[in-house]
Amino acid sequence: MNYEELLEYLDLDEAAQFEYFEAMADLIESEEYVEQEAMYQLFDGADKTMITELLEDYFEDTLEGLPDASGEIYSLLHQIKVMLIGMSSNIEDDSDLRLFTDEFHRFRNWYSHESEVELTPEDGGRPIYHNVRDAVTASRMEKLGGEKYRYDFENALEYELDSYSMSFADLAKAEDENEGTIVFSPDEEMNEE
């Protein structure tokens, strides 16, 4: 999808209208390929504070939807959340916006297309394979009385977190907003500015 097609898909007349949870969910979960430049144009025209709020809401909803005992994938998604929210809340120029768009694009492709989760029906049967997005959907359906599965997220854990520099002031702010539950990858840098 190019930019004009993306606006139409999200039911927006302009990027400034990108302000609803459903639009963020549709952007992340779309089956269709979305050009990275189209995402950049969307984020460029959208309110940056709103992008941060929508990401926060989307990740909280996703983390709540995970199956019980999904510690490693929960931790990974939480780290991605912290990274993307940190980046989106610190966009000051075009290069910051480009870096954020690159990371968002990479996350979206992994989450909705490239990742692989093994779901084995609890009542027997062959395993089925889904991306993380669809595994979270299956978990939500299960909680509503749908088919029960055993979830193996091991193959989906291969997501390399790029280092991201945050000032200590930004780190303290993020920590306050997340009630002290900041998790960083071992190679992540924190540089005082």
Side-chain angles (χ1 to χ4, degrees):
M1 272 187 260
N2 63 27
Y3 177 61
E4 289 75 22
E5 292 166 335
L6 179 59
L7 287 180
E8 184 178 347
Y9 175 75
L10 297 176
D11 198 23
L12 306 175
D13 294 324
E14 58 183 16
Q17 296 175 334
F18 186 69
E19 55 188 20
Y20 297 104
F21 177 89
E22 293 77 14
M24 179 62 80
D26 288 345
L27 176 61
I28 293 173
E29 298 176 1
S30 170
E31 291 282 348
E32 292 187 48
Y33 174 76
V34 179
E35 294 174 7
Q36 189 166 331
E37 186 61 25
M39 286 186 217
Y40 168 82
Q41 287 180 262
L42 176 69
F43 295 143
D44 188 38
D47 179 273
K48 308 307 179 277
T49 302
M50 184 57 65
I51 293 171
T52 301
E53 290 175 11
L54 292 174
L55 280 170
E56 176 79 35
D57 292 345
Y58 184 81
F59 274 97
E60 285 305 310
D61 185 68
T62 299
L63 292 170
E64 287 175 15
L66 287 171
D68 297 334
S70 53
E72 287 185 283
I73 194 68
Y74 184 98
S75 178
L76 175 60
L77 284 167
H78 182 76
Q79 290 178 47
I80 294 169
K81 169 191 159 187
V82 169
M83 178 181 64
L84 287 174
I85 287 173
M87 294 178 85
S88 68
S89 62
N90 287 287
I91 294 172
E92 295 180 1
D93 57 31
D94 186 66
S95 67
D96 293 338
L97 182 60
R98 291 272 177 203
L99 284 172
F100 168 72
T101 304
D102 289 349
E103 283 302 317
F104 182 92
H105 186 259
R106 194 166 71 90
F107 161 70
R108 178 191 177 276
N109 286 341
W110 167 82
Y111 181 77
S112 293
H113 300 282
E114 298 165 358
S115 55
E116 181 181 270
V117 182
E118 182 180 284
L119 283 69
T120 306
E122 284 193 354
D123 60 1
R126 294 178 181 225
I128 56 175
Y129 297 89
H130 286 304
N131 53 45
V132 174
R133 175 198 66 198
D134 292 346
V136 172
T137 300
S139 174
R140 286 189 176 122
M141 296 302 293
E142 182 178 321
K143 291 172 184 177
L144 296 172
E147 187 167 1
K148 296 188 181 305
Y149 296 99
R150 287 187 306 278
Y151 297 82
D152 183 350
F153 286 95
E154 185 175 346
N155 290 335
L157 296 173
E158 295 177 14
Y159 185 95
E160 188 172 328
L161 286 163
D162 288 345
S163 66
Y164 171 64
S165 298
M166 279 179 104
S167 71
F168 285 115
D170 294 334
L171 179 60
K173 179 182 173 193
E175 201 167 293
D176 287 344
E177 291 171 357
N178 290 288
E179 299 175 15
T181 56
I182 298 294
V183 180
F184 289 96
S185 65
D187 62 335
E188 200 154 359
E189 300 171 8
M190 291 181 290
N191 297 327
E192 186 167 15
E193 295 174 352

